[in-house]
Amino acid sequence: MKWIEVTDCFSESQRHYKDKYLIIDEVLDDTVEVSLFSSPDGVYEIYVSYAGMDGIVYVNEADAYLRREEIKRVLAEDYQKNKKPSNEFIVEFADKYKLEIPFDLYFDDSALFCED
């Protein structure tokens, strides 16, 4: 199991999403995804997707890279052990990292999709 960076599969125009910019997008075994988006207001977004657990963790710019690495580690450990998150894991993860599910995560036609 190895994280694979897939940022380059997005065009430059696709990496600009609303007022955010996709800095890095990595996937693990086509099941876990962790992306980092910058923002001009300094509130970065870490997008998380793990077998049906999807959401965004909001962090300040100074903490964004370390928090992303921590989240990747936690998700990879659970994935390696369980292959999908349990309800208990989801609740604990969401509480610890303040995982949010913004309305536009699922209902925005301008969402990012990787070019094939």
Side-chain angles (χ1 to χ4, degrees):
M1 292 188 337
K2 179 180 168 188
W3 287 97
I4 298 171
E5 185 176 345
V6 295
T7 314
D8 288 342
C9 80
F10 296 96
S11 69
E12 187 62 27
S13 63
Q14 285 179 308
R15 291 175 71 176
H16 292 272
Y17 176 68
K18 296 188 178 183
D19 63 339
K20 311 289 187 263
Y21 181 74
L22 176 63
I23 298 172
I24 189 167
D25 187 9
E26 293 178 296
V27 296
L28 178 64
D29 203 22
D30 289 330
T31 303
V32 183
E33 179 180 8
V34 178
S35 304
L36 180 62
F37 291 84
S38 65
S39 177
D41 65 7
V43 178
Y44 280 40
E45 296 181 359
I46 301 171
Y47 169 74
V48 173
S49 179
Y50 172 27
M53 181 184 81
D54 300 293
I56 295 175
V57 175
Y58 295 95
V59 296
N60 65 48
E61 182 178 357
D63 298 329
Y65 290 92
L66 285 176
R67 181 57 53 103
R68 184 182 71 84
E69 289 300 322
E70 177 183 339
I71 286 171
K72 283 176 46 183
R73 181 185 50 77
V74 168
L75 295 175
E77 287 174 4
D78 190 78
Y79 176 70
Q80 187 171 18
K81 290 179 193 171
N82 304 305
K83 299 302 180 212
K84 66 180 187 175
S86 66
N87 288 341
E88 181 181 11
F89 176 83
I90 292 170
V91 169
E92 288 176 8
F93 185 91
D95 285 346
K96 180 175 182 176
Y97 294 103
K98 297 176 178 54
L99 185 69
E100 296 186 27
I101 304 172
F103 178 79
D104 65 352
L105 186 63
Y106 294 111
F107 301 103
D108 187 348
D109 290 339
S110 65
L112 286 174
F113 295 102
C114 189
E115 294 178 335
D116 288 321

